[in-house]
Amino acid sequence: MTQSQALVILKTGVNVFLTGEPGAGKTHTINEYAAYLRARDIEPAVTASTGIAATHLGGMTIHSWSGIGIKSELDKRALYDIANNKYVTKRLQPAKVLIIDEVSMLAPGVLAMVDAVCREIKQSADPFGGIQIVMVGDFFQLPPIVKAAEGSAQGALIEETSARFAYDSSAWKRARPIICYLTEQHRQDDTIFLDVLSAIRCNVFGGAHLCHLATRKIDLHTAPQSTPKLFSHNSDVDRVNNEMLAMLSGKAHAFAMS
């Protein structure tokens, strides 16, 4: 699916899961849709599952936006308190479109709690209180961090203990999002390299891909000095950085952080 085709679907107001490989233009498509909404005096709620992702979008975390914060469960009292928080209701009451980026890192229970809060504040039984939900992400990438199963506390309104990913959530199933899978590639035009990356991503890496990588292999001593180095452990990174710093001339200065 192209970005323009996904935009046509988004503009119909249906719930959408926008996905695709890295470089397919998910963020660009969302920005285009947000611009379309703002031109019609509709301000979308732009959120993400993590603080870093939210910063990149110029939005806030879905946890802060919905008022659930660090809660792992929601009982009637907690739901009442959130629904009567003037700051939360001021955000949610006028909301018509909710964008959740990096949804692959969102635990299913969190999505269910957001759904419950939206329905309570909007006083609507529709999924997410009738707000259009646009979930963006790639489930081939980072999964959510989950704690060991501890069982739900007494009085909890949401049971998602056996689910791992957001698409397993009862809220996702009720929302019934249309899947828009972007297939264009805007970040890389080396088709062979893209084929290798896609094979790794889909776990279909084979002999042909390995042979291609083998042609790119060189001995360490023949590598240019300016070649970036990647390490799996911080200790190796620190070692190389210290070696490079030791080569610099001049006196070292230490600055105390405050």
Side-chain angles (χ1 to χ4, degrees), residues 28 41 45 54 59 94 120 123 147 167 185 197 233 251:
H28 176 77
D41 296 322
E120 180 70 17
Q123 287 296 289
K147 297 179 180 178
Y167 57 72
Q185 180 55 239
L197 293 178
H233 293 79
K251 184 179 179 181

Side-chain angles (χ1 to χ4, degrees), residues 234-256:
N234 286 337
S235 59
D236 293 320
V237 177
D238 293 338
R239 174 179 54 78
V240 173
N241 284 341
N242 290 332
E243 289 173 356
M244 298 300 292
L245 285 171
M247 295 170 62
L248 298 176
S249 60
K251 184 179 179 181
H253 296 270
F255 297 89

Side-chain angles (χ1 to χ4, degrees), residues 119-136:
R119 285 188 284 111
E120 180 70 17
I121 291 179
K122 288 282 194 177
Q123 287 296 289
S124 170
D126 294 333
F128 295 90
I131 301 174
Q132 181 191 15
I133 303 301
V134 181
M135 296 175 286
V136 188

Side-chain angles (χ1 to χ4, degrees), residues 140 169 202 218 247:
F140 282 90
S169 172
C202 299
I218 60 174
M247 295 170 62

Side-chain angles (χ1 to χ4, degrees), residues 30-108:
I30 287 303
N31 288 337
E32 287 289 304
Y33 184 48
Y36 167 84
L37 292 171
R38 289 171 181 138
R40 287 153 182 78
D41 296 322
I42 299 173
E43 183 59 36
V46 181
T47 71
S49 60
T50 66
I52 293 177
T55 301
H56 291 166
L57 289 171
M60 59 197 308
T61 64
I62 185 64
H63 308 74
S64 297
W65 181 84
S66 64
I68 63 174
I70 61 173
K71 289 181 176 62
S72 58
E73 291 181 332
L74 202 62
D75 56 23
K76 290 183 179 180
R77 178 64 190 182
L79 183 60
Y80 175 85
D81 290 341
I82 293 173
N84 285 275
N85 183 309
K86 63 179 181 179
Y87 299 105
V88 177
T89 55
K90 185 178 180 180
R91 285 195 298 268
L92 270 68
Q93 195 63 56
K96 295 182 179 180
V97 181
L98 171 60
I99 297 170
I100 307 176
D101 196 20
E102 298 293 356
V103 72
S104 69
M105 298 180 66
L106 197 67

Side-chain angles (χ1 to χ4, degrees), residues 173-223:
K173 294 171 184 175
R174 284 195 300 271
R176 300 176 65 185
I178 291 178
I179 300 174
C180 294
Y181 195 106
L182 300 179
T183 55
E184 297 173 304
Q185 180 55 239
H186 300 276
R187 190 177 298 172
Q188 178 61 244
D189 55 10
D190 184 333
T191 56
I192 298 177
F193 183 47
L194 277 173
D195 185 50
V196 172
L197 293 178
S198 296
I200 295 172
R201 179 176 184 270
C202 299
N203 196 27
V204 292
F205 188 85
H209 305 108
L210 184 60
C211 288
H212 173 70
L213 291 181
T215 65
R216 310 291 296 176
K217 183 179 179 180
I218 60 174
D219 292 328
L220 181 61
H221 69 276
T222 62

